[in-house]
Amino acid sequence: MREILPPGVDLPTDGTVTMFSTSWCGYCRRLKSQLDREGIGYTEINIEDTPGTAELVETINAGNQTVPTVLYPDGSSATNPSLADVKKALG
């Protein structure tokens, strides 16, 4: 995964996630509020504002710009995960 990350985007640190989103995405707002409530750290990257990230999301999602797409420290990813999925992936 590291080799396909655009410049300026790194894998998240242990215990955190990187969430690719858009400003208008209701699912993104919901996941952010859940992560905030649970104290799970995240870096949000708007794919409409950050060069190369829409293409990364397309690569992860078989050509679709589906958000939220979450990137985990181990390089794995999930599309529109539940809070339970995020907690499980972070261990």
Side-chain angles (χ1 to χ4, degrees), residues 4 12-13 21 28 31 36 59-61 64 71 81 90:
I4 65 169
T13 58
S21 67
C28 300
L31 183 57
D36 288 340
T59 299
I60 293 170
N61 294 301
N64 298 305
L71 183 61
L90 291 176

Side-chain angles (χ1 to χ4, degrees), residues 28-75:
C28 300
R29 284 192 297 276
R30 182 187 70 208
L31 183 57
K32 286 190 301 185
S33 70
Q34 292 171 337
L35 295 173
D36 288 340
R37 186 182 69 235
E38 294 294 316
I40 298 171
Y42 61 92
T43 300
E44 181 180 14
I45 298 176
N46 187 321
I47 66 169
E48 295 176 321
D49 297 336
T50 307
T53 56
E55 293 80 6
L56 172 62
V57 168
E58 287 177 357
T59 299
I60 293 170
N61 294 301
N64 298 305
Q65 291 184 12
T66 308
V67 290
T69 294
V70 173
L71 183 61
Y72 298 107
D74 67 0

Side-chain angles (χ1 to χ4, degrees), residues 14-17 40 72-74 83-91:
D14 286 343
T16 69
V17 298
I40 298 171
Y72 298 107
D74 67 0
L83 176 62
D85 292 338
V86 172
K87 290 170 85 171
K88 182 178 178 183
L90 291 176

